Amino acid sequence: MTDKIKIFDTTLRDGEQAPGFSMNKEEKLGFAHQLELLGVDVIEAGFPVASRDDFEAVESIAKSLKTTEVCGLARCHSGDIDAALMATEKAKKPRIHVFIATSDIHLEYKLKISRDEAIKKAVEAIRQCKKHCDRVDFSPEDAGRSDRDFLVEILSEAIKAGADTLNIPDTVGYLSPAEFGDLILYLNNNVPGIKNCIISTHCHNDLGMAVANSLSGALNGARQIECTINGIGERAGNAAMEEVVMAIKTRPELFKARTGINTPLLLKTSRMLSSITGQHVQINKAIVGDNAFAHEAGIHQHGLLKNKFTYEIMKPDDVGWNETNFVLGKHSGRNAVLDRLNKLGIKIAEADVAAFMMKFKDLADGKKHIYDDDLILLTKDKNEEMYYAIKEMKVEAQTGKKATATIKLKAGGDVIEGKATGNGSVDAVYNAIIKVTGFEGVLTKFNVDAISPQKDAIANANIGWLIDDVEIRGRGTSTDTVTAIANALIDVVNRYRIQQQHEEGLSGV
Ligand code: KIV
Ligand code: ZN
């Protein structure tokens, strides 16, 4: 018999809250649609009480998904629960996930409450959820370091209050697979009423054991795994969905279970997340890293030619490898480009096709091979719609001398220009942008990489900029590295401007 293991995706909540992975509302909505296509059972879309943006992102995802459960996270506080209920109320299948810490160290130092008080808060919170929403997950945070008898007690009260799913977090990634599996088995055998609930896992990767721990949970009775695409999440991240899912699919005799994931979409989903956040997975990452199916050693290639399964335990097609890296170029016509976009799940309105093709041809003139990631980026290139955009830029740099940047920017309907020097090209360009826009703040993060192989690759710059005590993330791309870096600061300036207008309640951005 093969049981179904539910996949609960928390990329947009636990994943998004990690530094370097923030996404805007539109990006979250687009990604949630991809998760629905991928076949995840539940999407934890955010923590609605955390900010207005989070609330609106959860709300728009809830309104627009058709089949997937949409979940909002809440602490056991009435205000959190109201926000989560409100944000998810339009979902076809709403779900609320409430949590409270249960380890002594969290109770004593963080919450400063007793075990009995924690039980009382959990029960009240679940009852409040149940008045408006049938589906309720309860998590005893830091369960991995909590007293087992106390876990049994609070979980049995949570069941009585109406929780249908009991999620067991190893919040700090402390347990080994054997210990985590044993904890799940213990709870499964000792919590009264648990057989009518789904046991779920939520494992962090601080010691690199999140996937192994989640799978050990599944072997011991868990029937839901909370995980994220590319394993993103707090600190070292969560269990990587692509790894969990492919382990279950590749070893049916071991897990005697299946997931509902449409695995050929895994790679595309992983790439989409990298492209949105600008954070790429390492080259040797299981399943979705560039080398995951690359065989270099002659002895391996020889074996593979005789029989693929000598060195390949999964089919690359099963995770979507053969669909990617389809190369387009300057001779590719409208049909080939639209067909490829279609395969990538991107639709362009008929009225926008001509303008898109012009952008495509411009890019193809400067860059021989256009890869899927390049195409995806091109569809997101909204420079011309933004208030500030670079019209012209000139940088003069010479070894041993200060660099000079001259910049001309579109600023709404106007053009502004200026010149500045700096310690190198990037410093000079940034000083020029700051001078002409009057923008302030300090650079806190700086990362530049290439979107695709080859020396004419598109450079992808991601920066963090601290202003008014808030870090704004910006992203810029270009076939020219310094222009990509300049675009990233322009992105920050535009985002800051939008944020200011939002706060001032102005319209017409
Ligand atoms: O890691 C954790 O404990 C969490 C909870 C909110 C489930 O993310
Ligand atoms: Zn977590």
Side-chain angles (χ1 to χ4, degrees), residues 256-272:
K256 297 183 179 47
R258 68 191 159 79
T259 70
I261 296 296
N262 185 5
T263 63
L265 291 182
L266 280 170
L267 183 62
K268 183 178 150 197
T269 312
S270 155
R271 292 289 160 99
M272 185 171 178

Side-chain angles (χ1 to χ4, degrees), residues 227-264:
C227 48
T228 60
I229 293 292
N230 296 346
I232 74 170
E234 279 283 337
R235 305 180 307 280
N238 282 72
M241 186 206 294
E242 58 281 3
E243 297 178 25
V244 163
V245 165
M246 288 315 291
I248 293 170
K249 182 173 170 121
T250 307
R251 301 296 309 277
E253 79 296 351
L254 180 63
F255 292 102
K256 297 183 179 47
R258 68 191 159 79
T259 70
I261 296 296
N262 185 5
T263 63

Side-chain angles (χ1 to χ4, degrees), residues 356-409:
F356 183 80
M357 284 308 292
M358 274 172 68
K359 285 202 282 186
F360 174 83
K361 292 287 177 197
D362 279 352
L363 181 64
D365 277 344
K367 186 178 189 306
K368 200 163 162 213
H369 300 302
I370 309 286
Y371 295 90
D372 287 351
D373 289 341
D374 298 328
L375 262 192
I376 293 170
L377 262 184
L378 213 54
T379 60
K380 293 167 114 206
D381 173 18
K382 298 221 166 36
N383 248 359
E384 69 277 12
E385 293 159 27
M386 299 309 294
Y387 186 85
Y388 291 110
I390 297 176
K391 284 183 85 66
E392 271 175 47
M393 194 176 89
K394 187 171 146 208
V395 185
E396 288 161 289
Q398 197 184 331
T399 325
K401 293 222 167 113
K402 285 217 158 213
T404 306
T406 313
I407 197 149
K408 202 184 259 189
L409 298 183

